[in-house]
Amino acid sequence: MKYLIVIVVSCFTVAFTHAQTSGKSNHQQPNILWITCEDISPYIGAYGFKGVSTPNIDQLAKEGVRYNKVYTVAGVCAPSRSAMITGMYPMSIGTQHMRTAGNPKYQPVPSYAAVIPSYVKCFPEYLRKAGYYCTNNEKQDYQFTPPVTVWDENGPGASFRNRPADKPFFAVFNFFITHESQLFSRKDSLLVDPGSVSVPPLYVDTKTARHDVARMLTNIERMDQQVGDLLQILKDDGLYDNTIIFFFSDHGGMLPWTKREVLERGTHIPFIIRLPDAAQAGETNDDLISAVDFAPTVLSLAGITPPNYLQGQAFLGEQKKSPRKYVYAARDRMDTEYDRVRMVRDKQYMYLFNYMPEKPYYQNSEYRLSIPMMKEILALRDGGRLDSNQARWFATKPVEELYDVTSDPYAFHNLAAYPKYKNKLDELRKAFQDWTKKVGDKSAIAEREMIRQMWNGADEPPATAMPQVIPAKNGVTLKCATEGASIGYRVIRAGDTPGPEQHPIQSWDQGFAAGRKNEGTVAAKPVWQVYNQQVIPLSKGDLLLVNAMRIGYSPAVMGYQDGKMISYTEEK
């Protein structure tokens, strides 16, 4: 694709100022690893689940802490991952609908990247400013495109192994094999006998249901093998005993009437942390924890004071807070189907508020229809072969629901109308109302109107203002007029710059530097560095590349060389 090179004669000069972290503490910064998988409830041997072999995760639990009451803020991936990366509830920042961008077949609105509040950042940016090397292997899916300041490396091949020797790391590895789609797309042999599985009472016990449950458990077993391979790399590199290792799923579910739900089966996830040198080995923890707490907890473990705007709270580290009394979750549009449900729960009881009670629990998601047992469930429904509990999925909803999850884990028996539970109903209703008032709920308006407001009434997202390069002693400083813009930069030293016919950013992204000699060494592909108000040293002939972006806005990309500013604008 061709690019235009435009000389920029002026730029805005307003500096970005807002909530920042306080930086590093005096203690040694630990390495931190997230091992994430997709779409599973605690179907892990360490949680007492029978019929699945997960020796690697089980061993991690033996050497670490098994958390028993960890919940995601949504029963589906993109809103849930949005909360994990920002520390904010999705409906409070406009990332609640599944999903904002993707296949037009599965969404009734134009694709968009959510324009989140200007002061909200992806938390690895704070880690990078504090000296961490941050990598994400494979998946983001945050409901927006993150700025280049979030990761040192992102995508296949991203690894803590590529970091400079003196840097601690925060690394994310995501295993896709347990995703819902793998129920119908994988054709490899089963490791679990369908005849041996237990079929949840949500479903009629049929050959098809048994096969899909066995496929789910097989995929979990294969994921466990992948976890073991990654842990072995840590051991081979001598990092296993000085790295804080998290293992968790992005939400619960996978089977029909589990994923996408804000019930126990859609939000309760396995969650294990192994501390360095196996401190607290074999312990269990029953505190209520929300996935919105993951970001502040990582910052706390790294010795960084979490920003005050975060809606989550740290449960480990220097900034650890008192345990939660409640956790919350929300359900909004799923592909083409709209609904609006809010959940609050304590350790025993779960409260649901249904804004659209005229709609059934079931949503006719075309994507889910690819699961063999989903098609069968609809046929059984049409044939009148579902029992009363199984048939509830297709009934309309009451406005309020209350369940004792301890005695009724499948949420079959609504207690909201029972006088015996009035006090608990009142308590959790008030908790829901207080939470909504505190954090806000952008689903109070139609999604199209929310997008219109994000885009300031225009038919496309706002653009980030072109950054300004300001000469300083021995170098330059950077500014951007767009409030909340993150600024990334690269310096390509004189002699390593591409020829005039080549676009320098694209060339370097494709590994342009590989093989180029610079004083006898092979020049490495430069990483986008996070600008943190410092002076950037430049010599004659050096090319400075700058990428400024507020989340949800289009980025502004420019270059600076020997006193001249250059804008790199994609030709349309």
Side-chain angles (χ1 to χ4, degrees):
M1 190 174 291
K2 294 181 179 179
Y3 286 75
L4 295 176
I5 299 179
V6 181
I7 300 297
V8 178
V9 295
S10 65
C11 282
F12 291 102
T13 60
V14 178
F16 157 62
T17 57
H18 214 291
Q20 298 289 328
T21 60
S22 65
K24 294 182 283 187
S25 70
N26 293 323
H27 83 312
Q28 184 176 358
Q29 294 169 294
N31 298 318
I32 303 172
L33 172 67
W34 276 9
I35 304 174
T36 70
C37 64
E38 310 213 18
D39 299 13
I40 69 167
S41 299
Y43 301 142
I44 302 292
Y47 283 84
F49 187 82
K50 306 299 183 183
V52 66
S53 176
T54 51
N56 295 297
I57 300 171
D58 295 351
Q59 184 61 34
L60 197 67
K62 289 178 182 178
E63 299 175 13
V65 181
R66 187 192 75 211
Y67 291 81
N68 295 325
K69 294 188 180 297
V70 180
Y71 297 85
T72 55
V73 301
V76 70
C77 55
S80 185
R81 289 176 182 269
S82 165
M84 293 176 186
I85 201 67
T86 64
M88 305 291 284
Y89 291 106
M91 83 286 186
S92 76
I93 61 173
T95 59
Q96 72 274 27
H97 294 294
M98 180 64 193
R99 62 176 36 127
T100 63
N103 189 339
K105 176 181 180 181
Y106 298 126
Q107 58 190 65
V109 296
S111 288
Y112 65 98
V115 178
I116 67 178
S118 61
Y119 51 85
V120 176
K121 303 287 188 182
C122 296
F123 79 87
E125 184 169 319
Y126 298 123
L127 291 170
R128 295 190 67 199
K129 286 184 177 182
Y132 271 81
Y133 191 81
C134 296
T135 67
N136 181 65
N137 190 298
E138 200 61 36
K139 187 171 184 178
Q140 297 183 107
D141 204 17
Y142 307 139
Q143 305 279 57
F144 53 77
T145 300
V148 297
T149 48
V150 179
W151 303 109
D152 288 273
E153 297 179 76
N154 175 61
S159 174
F160 53 83
R161 282 184 155 178
N162 301 327
R163 75 193 187 284
D166 61 340
K167 278 183 173 282
F169 67 80
F170 170 66
V172 180
F173 285 81
N174 183 71
F175 296 125
F176 185 76
I177 193 171
T178 55
H179 188 266
E180 172 190 42
S181 63
Q182 305 305 289
L183 287 174
F184 53 83
S185 64
R186 292 189 69 84
K187 306 301 179 185
D188 54 340
S189 59
L190 295 175
L191 302 177
V192 176
D193 178 11
S196 69
V197 304
S198 176
V199 177
L202 299 166
Y203 319 114
V204 179
D205 189 344
T206 66
K207 181 179 179 180
T208 300
R210 285 183 168 274
H211 180 276
D212 284 0
V213 172
R215 167 54 65 191
M216 174 187 72
L217 299 178
T218 291
N219 293 349
I220 291 174
E221 291 197 1
R222 295 194 190 281
M223 179 270 294
D224 179 80
Q225 295 169 5
Q226 295 174 331
V227 170
D229 291 341
L230 178 56
L231 294 177
Q232 188 60 50
I233 291 174
L234 280 181
K235 294 173 182 177
D236 292 344
D237 289 359
L239 296 170
Y240 185 67
D241 281 325
N242 63 5
T243 299
I244 300 173
I245 303 170
F246 289 63
F247 167 80
F248 59 91
S249 176
D250 62 348
H251 55 81
M254 187 192 314
L255 296 173
W257 203 8
T258 59
K259 182 174 179 177
R260 301 174 182 84
E261 305 298 332
V262 290
L263 303 172
E264 178 82 1
R265 54 187 176 265
T267 60
H268 187 203
I269 58 171
F271 190 85
I272 296 165
I273 298 180
R274 186 192 188 277
L275 298 170
D277 297 316
Q280 300 177 237
E283 292 187 11
T284 59
N285 183 294
D286 290 327
D287 291 343
L288 281 173
I289 294 171
S290 170
V292 78
D293 301 332
F294 295 177
T297 298
V298 170
L299 294 176
S300 176
L301 289 169
I304 301 169
T305 301
N308 290 332
Y309 70 77
L310 290 182
Q311 294 166 345
Q313 63 181 53
F315 57 86
L316 287 173
E318 297 177 349
Q319 304 297 321
K320 179 180 178 180
K321 304 299 183 184
S322 299
R324 285 177 167 273
K325 188 174 183 180
Y326 308 113
V327 293
Y328 309 88
R331 172 183 177 132
D332 291 277
R333 174 174 60 80
M334 298 290 168
D335 297 340
T336 58
E337 307 301 308
Y338 281 95
D339 200 353
R340 187 181 176 203
V341 185
R342 300 295 179 260
M343 184 275 282
V344 57
R345 61 161 298 160
D346 59 21
K347 288 187 177 182
Q348 182 174 356
Y349 292 94
M350 174 177 61
Y351 170 88
L352 301 173
F353 188 87
N354 295 300
Y355 283 94
M356 300 178 177
E358 72 282 1
K359 294 193 172 190
Y361 294 101
Y362 172 73
Q363 291 182 321
N364 194 36
S365 169
E366 184 174 347
Y367 186 82
R368 184 169 51 196
L369 291 175
S370 296
I371 302 174
M373 65 183 293
M374 185 66 249
K375 298 174 183 175
E376 183 181 67
I377 289 170
L378 295 178
L380 293 169
R381 176 202 62 182
D382 294 343
R385 295 177 55 194
L386 301 179
D387 67 26
S388 58
N389 285 327
Q390 294 158 357
R392 286 184 78 246
W393 195 16
F394 303 99
T396 54
K397 308 181 291 287
V399 173
E400 293 184 302
E401 300 175 71
L402 179 70
Y403 299 98
D404 183 340
V405 184
T406 303
S407 62
D408 182 21
Y410 292 105
F412 287 149
H413 306 294
N414 184 11
L415 306 175
Y418 288 71
K420 176 181 177 181
Y421 298 98
K422 182 181 184 302
N423 289 343
K424 179 57 67 173
L425 180 70
D426 291 344
E427 174 196 339
L428 295 183
R429 180 194 296 126
K430 185 177 186 303
F432 150 68
Q433 293 170 345
D434 290 346
W435 172 60
T436 303
K437 182 177 180 180
K438 180 179 180 180
V439 305
D441 192 338
K442 290 185 176 295
S443 288
I445 60 175
E447 185 177 13
R448 287 183 182 273
E449 174 59 19
M450 183 187 74
I451 298 169
R452 191 191 71 80
Q453 292 181 11
M454 287 178 173
W455 291 356
N456 301 322
D459 58 0
E460 61 182 7
T464 305
M466 194 64 67
Q468 182 182 13
V469 180
I470 304 168
K473 185 177 180 180
N474 299 322
V476 297
T477 60
L478 304 176
K479 289 184 178 181
C480 181
T482 299
E483 183 180 10
S486 295
I487 304 176
Y489 71 95
R490 290 171 170 173
V491 177
I492 302 177
R493 297 302 174 188
D496 285 331
T497 55
E501 75 285 356
Q502 294 173 294
H503 185 281
I505 297 174
Q506 297 299 308
S507 297
W508 281 81
D509 278 344
Q510 295 164 8
F512 173 78
R516 282 208 172 222
K517 296 298 181 74
N518 181 9
E519 297 180 357
T521 62
V522 177
K525 176 182 174 181
V527 168
W528 286 108
Q529 302 296 326
V530 183
Y531 183 67
N532 196 21
Q533 312 303 317
Q534 77 274 31
V535 174
I536 302 170
L538 290 178
S539 300
K540 183 175 176 57
D542 290 348
L543 174 62
L544 172 68
L545 303 176
V546 185
N547 186 317
M549 179 180 171
R550 175 181 166 181
I551 293 175
Y553 283 36
S554 60
V557 185
M558 53 86 69
Y560 177 89
Q561 188 175 41
D562 296 334
K564 293 182 179 180
M565 295 185 191
I566 307 165
S567 171
Y568 297 104
T569 306
E570 186 174 344
E571 262 188 0
K572 296 185 179 180

